């Protein structure tokens, strides 16, 4: 369809911050008619300065801090950092703890995708999706609450293992949640995915082909929707992923609709992983032998053997790791998450670098906006599943 | 015995007289002078590395220099994707200038811009070098340099 572009003088528009269509980001668009000619982003409205604060805190005190940027995806933020610390202090993790890490991470992935889909729904005017997304998420958040004791910022993973063990109640909750979500995803498909309005708003919008996705450095579901088979869980397996069987959904279209479908299929894969973990989780300790020895016998009997909870041994208070550095990556809900920790032998890291998925989406979003219709800026934004605090950290 | 992929990359770099070293099966680094950064980047791009994961600056105040580290990897080649390769170089406080790699890898855009505002390293040839995260009225030294001290609120308990 040919569109007559009405040229306008100085067509600049300030979107946000705190505009329903901009989240916490200010988007300065230059318009020609309703075509976005260029787009300038002002990202830093919820800056937490994690990298700077990281130079002023002990390694253990950083665990609750690094997961603040993405509170909906805190297990992954937690895991990436702890893996980097483990690499520096050179400790290996028992098998059961690795499975528990995968278990918590997959629950978090489902919760994070449901959040993202809910936000996409409200952005393009589909309030039901918003309410369903947040409602269905609650089931998974409750499992995390039962497992870790906290709803969102879990601090579940510690160097050498995890903090709490699985109980029969949690297994039962998870099985119920899987049945519920499977049924609910069918409803989602009826009301959201196959909805003609949603299809119109998302199909052929913000198209990113394979070459563009690679050169702009897209991550996660957005990258896989553009036809790149890349997932850290397959490329460099961490936790228990090398022993689990799952597929990576890949689409070729690269538009907003493909990105949405990838998220739905990843949720199904995550539930498949959860079922496998429940079935073949091995018995054994949940903390490395090296640290387990340091727990006093009375506490060991009451807490660790009695209730499956770890009482933190004294080693964690302010350990001094040897000099060295570590680069680790995990596949968080929104994509690849990279940690670069440099240690100079003191109890605080010399430099902590945290590259979150949304941070790498800034460039993608800016490039995708060029040449799009103004009304589509919102659906591009929503379909990328951009989470502002994660970007400015 | 087959040669590890990382060793092939290292020997390819050493052929071009770059100082490169493997740290493990899938981590390695190359250390260059800052004038050679585009050469080494072009060589690595030809080897198949197609995106930049992160651009990091580390401040060394006692030596008056800043280390710049690019972490690169590949999306398309699944064997190469297992490797995260680091390009390391130094700039001095007196002349904190380096050539931008955005022409070679567009994905360096965000990282270079952040390193510019947080550490004051000027990337020559970056298309959009201005503030990204800091507030508009921010004043003082660059926040990620070590001489920027965080003001802490003291918690005093009066015991008398």
């Amino acid at each position: 369809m040919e569109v007559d572009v009405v040229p306008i003088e100085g067509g600049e528009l300030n979107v946000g911050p705190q505009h329903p269509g901009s989240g916490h980001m200010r988007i300065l668009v230059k318009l020609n008619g309703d075509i976005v000619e260029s787009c300038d982003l002002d990202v830093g409205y919820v800056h937490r300065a994690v990298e700077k604060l990281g130079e002023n805190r002990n390694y253990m005190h950083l665990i609750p801090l690094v997961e603040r940027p993405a509170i909906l995806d805190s297990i992954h933020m937690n895991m990436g950092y702890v893996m980097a610390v483990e690499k520096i202090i050179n400790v290996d993790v028992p098998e059961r703890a690795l499975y528990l890490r995968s278990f918590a991470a997959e629950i978090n992935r489902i919760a994070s995708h449901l959040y993202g889909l809910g936000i996409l729904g409200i952005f393009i005017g589909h309030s039901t999706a918003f309410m369903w997304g947040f409602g269905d998420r609650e089931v998974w958040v409750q499992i995390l609450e039962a497992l870790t004791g906290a709803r969102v910022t879990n601090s579940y993973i510690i160097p050498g293992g995890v903090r709490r063990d699985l109980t029969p109640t949690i297994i039962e909750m998870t099985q119920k949640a899987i049945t519920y979500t499977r049924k609910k995803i069918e409803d989602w498909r009826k009301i959201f995915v196959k909805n003609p309005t949603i299809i119109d708003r998302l199909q052929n919008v913000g198209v990113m082909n394979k070459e563009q996705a690679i050169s702009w450095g897209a991550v996660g579901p957005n990258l896989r929707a553009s036809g790149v088979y890349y997932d850290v869980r397959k490329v460099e397996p961490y936790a228990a992923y090398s022993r689990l069987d799952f597929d990576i959904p890949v689409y070729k279209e690269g538009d907003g609709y493909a990105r949405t479908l990838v998220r739905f299929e990843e949720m199904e894969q995550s539930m498949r992983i959860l079922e496998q973990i429940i079935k073949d989780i091995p018995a054994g300790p949940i903390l490395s032998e090296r640290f387990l020895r340091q727990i006093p016998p009375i506490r060991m009997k009451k807490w660790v053997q009695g209730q499956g909870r770890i009482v933190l041994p004294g080693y964690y208070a302010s350990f001094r790791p040897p000099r060295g550095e570590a680069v680790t990556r995990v596949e968080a809900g929104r994509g690849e998450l990279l940690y670069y920790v440099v240690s100079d032998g003191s109890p605080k890291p010399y430099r902590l670098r945290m590259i979150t998925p949304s941070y790498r989406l800034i460039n993608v979003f800016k490039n995708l906006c060029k040449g799009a219709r103004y009304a589509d800026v919102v659906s591009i934004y929503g379909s990328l599943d951009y989470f502002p605090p994660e970007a400015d950290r | 015995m087959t040669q590890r992929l990382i060793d092939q990359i290292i020997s390819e770099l050493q052929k071009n007289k770059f100082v490169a070293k493997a740290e493990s099966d899938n981590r390695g680094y190359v250390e260059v002078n800052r004038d050679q950064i585009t050469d080494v980047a072009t060589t690595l791009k030809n080897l198949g590395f197609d995106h930049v994961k992160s651009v990091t600056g580390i401040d060394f105040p006692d030596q008056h220099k800043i280390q710049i580290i690019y972490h690169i990897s590949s999306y398309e080649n699944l064997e190469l994707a297992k490797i995260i390769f680091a390009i390391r170089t130094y700039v001095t406080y007196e002349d904190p200038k380096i050539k931008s790699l955005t022409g070679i890898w567009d994905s360096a855009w965000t990282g270079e811009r952040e390193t510019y505002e947080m550490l004051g390293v000027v990337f020559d040839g970056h298309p959009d070098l201005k503030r990204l995260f800091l507030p508009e009225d921010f004043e003082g030294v660059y926040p990620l340099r070590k001489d920027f001290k965080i003001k802490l609120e003291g918690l005093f308990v009066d015991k008398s």
Side-chain angles (χ1 to χ4, degrees):
Chain A
M1 192 175 72
E2 268 306 303
V3 184
D4 288 333
V5 175
V6 187
I8 42 170
E9 292 272 319
E12 277 187 16
L13 201 61
N14 236 323
V15 192
Q18 313 300 336
H19 179 272
S22 83
H24 293 253
M25 179 153 78
R26 187 166 69 112
I27 310 168
L28 188 70
V29 286
K30 280 209 179 83
L31 294 172
N32 187 5
D34 75 336
I35 308 278
V36 178
E37 284 202 324
S38 76
C39 143
D40 196 13
L41 305 178
D42 198 345
V43 192
Y45 280 91
V46 258
H47 200 275
R48 286 173 173 80
V50 171
E51 287 182 9
K52 184 67 191 175
L53 289 171
E55 294 169 8
N56 291 281
R57 276 180 179 46
N58 288 346
Y59 282 91
M60 270 312 268
H61 296 166
L62 270 172
I63 291 179
L65 186 70
V66 290
E67 57 189 33
R68 250 64 188 179
I71 46 167
L72 339 145
D73 206 10
S74 58
I75 294 278
H76 284 112
M77 301 276 145
N78 191 186
M79 182 151 59
Y81 171 68
V82 168
M83 275 162 60
V85 176
E86 274 166 358
K87 233 181 191 178
I88 292 180
I89 63 175
N90 192 16
V91 57
D92 43 303
V93 187
E95 194 83 341
R96 188 174 174 86
L98 288 178
Y99 269 84
L100 280 172
R101 282 180 183 190
S102 285
F103 183 78
E106 289 310 316
I107 289 177
N108 219 168
R109 188 185 312 281
I110 299 174
S112 162
H113 279 342
L114 281 169
Y115 177 94
L117 291 166
I119 290 291
L120 168 66
I122 196 72
F123 270 5
I124 52 184
H126 193 283
S127 314
T128 313
F130 176 66
M131 286 180 248
W132 278 19
F134 278 69
D136 293 350
R137 195 175 170 264
E138 190 57 35
V139 189
W140 297 101
V141 173
Q142 273 175 3
I143 298 175
L144 275 185
E145 197 182 342
L147 181 66
T148 67
R151 276 177 62 84
V152 277
T153 46
N154 308 96
S155 308
Y156 179 56
I157 294 161
I158 49 173
V162 292
R163 274 199 302 120
R164 292 194 192 192
D165 208 347
L166 207 59
T167 61
T169 327
I170 296 167
I171 293 179
E172 197 186 315
M173 277 170 90
T174 315
Q175 278 158 345
K176 270 187 192 162
I178 291 173
T179 325
Y180 172 76
T181 308
R182 287 226 167 103
K183 205 171 84 210
K184 204 68 186 169
I185 282 181
E186 285 306 305
D187 294 345
W188 271 90
R189 286 195 192 281
K190 273 181 218 152
I191 203 169
F192 188 71
V193 181
K194 288 180 185 159
N195 188 328
T197 323
I198 301 297
I199 293 176
D200 274 355
R201 287 301 301 270
L202 291 177
Q203 242 168 19
N204 294 321
V205 166
V207 181
M208 172 165 65
N209 61 32
K210 197 174 172 182
E211 285 71 39
Q212 284 171 331
I214 290 171
S215 109
W216 297 341
V219 276
N222 307 322
L223 180 71
R224 293 193 280 277
S226 298
V228 183
Y229 181 89
Y230 178 89
D231 190 310
V232 183
R233 290 176 292 172
K234 289 280 187 199
V235 169
E236 194 183 298
Y238 55 95
Y241 290 112
S242 53
R243 303 169 194 89
L244 297 165
D245 175 36
F246 59 100
D247 300 324
I248 306 296
V250 177
Y251 276 77
K252 283 203 173 57
E253 289 84 358
D255 56 359
Y257 196 60
R259 293 195 272 271
T260 312
L261 290 177
V262 165
R263 293 210 168 80
F264 272 106
E265 282 174 30
E266 273 189 15
M267 269 154 55
E268 275 158 23
Q269 293 300 330
S270 291
M271 287 191 277
R272 220 177 112 195
I273 296 175
L274 287 176
E275 281 178 334
Q276 285 174 41
I277 293 175
I278 290 174
K279 208 170 81 210
D280 20 86
I281 184 163
I286 55 168
L287 188 66
S288 165
E289 196 60 38
R290 180 170 145 194
F291 300 133
L292 218 50
R293 274 202 308 259
Q294 299 180 355
I295 301 176
I298 301 173
R299 288 188 179 177
M300 185 78 188
K301 209 168 181 187
K302 189 182 172 198
W303 293 103
V304 184
Q305 285 156 6
Q307 302 191 9
R309 293 187 190 184
I310 297 296
V311 199
L312 293 183
Y315 178 79
Y316 288 132
S318 64
F319 57 85
R320 288 165 181 271
R323 276 164 183 278
E325 55 174 55
V327 190
T328 49
R329 48 178 167 177
V330 294
E331 183 75 25
R334 292 179 180 74
E336 184 184 36
L337 169 68
L338 186 95
Y339 277 98
Y340 177 50
V341 181
V342 181
S343 154
D344 65 339
S346 67
K348 297 163 185 169
Y350 192 74
R351 180 81 163 90
L352 166 76
R353 182 78 166 133
M354 180 181 183
I355 300 289
T356 47
S358 295
Y359 173 76
R360 289 164 72 182
L361 286 179
I362 298 173
N363 191 19
V364 175
F365 180 51
K366 184 177 136 41
N367 283 315
L368 275 182
C369 273
K370 277 177 203 157
R373 308 287 292 268
Y374 177 66
D376 288 341
V377 170
V378 195
S379 40
I380 293 172
Y381 191 8
S383 69
L384 285 176
D385 195 5
Y386 174 86
F387 189 60
E390 200 184 83
D392 45 19
R393 312 183 308 282
Chain B
M1 206 183 103
T2 49
Q3 207 184 8
R4 290 185 303 174
L5 185 60
I6 184 113
D7 292 330
Q8 290 171 25
I9 294 160
I10 301 287
S11 62
E12 189 67 35
L13 283 167
Q14 277 165 349
K15 233 182 268 169
N16 295 325
K17 305 222 165 32
F18 294 121
V19 187
K21 211 181 150 208
E23 287 169 324
S24 67
D25 280 359
N26 40 27
R27 300 282 189 272
Y29 67 87
V30 54
E31 217 159 282
V32 289
N33 282 331
R34 60 173 163 175
D35 343 318
Q36 293 174 307
I37 187 121
T38 37
D39 299 341
V40 78
T42 325
T43 317
L44 285 166
K45 175 144 195 180
N46 292 337
L47 285 172
F49 289 102
D50 54 17
H51 70 284
V52 174
K53 282 193 193 299
S54 93
V55 184
T56 316
I58 307 180
D59 187 18
F60 292 99
D62 45 339
Q63 300 167 43
H64 269 254
K65 58 187 185 182
I66 297 167
Q67 189 178 27
I68 311 284
I69 303 171
Y70 288 84
H71 284 111
I72 55 170
S73 187
S74 166
Y75 277 147
E76 223 163 355
N77 185 337
L78 277 181
E79 277 305 306
L80 211 54
K82 293 192 176 111
I83 294 170
I84 297 180
F85 207 76
I87 307 174
R88 296 180 180 184
T89 183
Y90 286 99
V91 293
T92 52
Y93 272 18
E94 290 74 35
D95 183 26
K97 266 192 187 160
I98 190 166
K99 279 206 191 88
S100 165
L101 292 189
T102 40
I104 297 165
W105 291 298
D106 194 27
S107 33
W109 188 86
T110 342
E112 286 187 352
R113 214 173 138 177
E114 197 196 355
T115 312
Y116 162 72
E117 68 166 341
M118 297 295 182
L119 282 152
V121 180
V122 179
F123 290 89
D124 269 336
H126 189 285
D128 205 7
L129 207 59
K130 57 183 191 215
R131 274 187 185 169
L132 184 66
F133 293 111
L134 290 178
E136 282 140 30
D137 55 350
F138 184 86
E139 280 173 8
V141 280
Y142 298 103
L144 274 179
R145 290 208 179 172
K146 293 284 177 191
D147 38 348
F148 180 93
K149 295 279 181 253
I150 300 174
K151 280 180 205 145
L152 294 171
E153 275 178 34
L155 196 69
F156 299 107
V157 182
D158 205 355
K159 278 183 181 165
S160 62

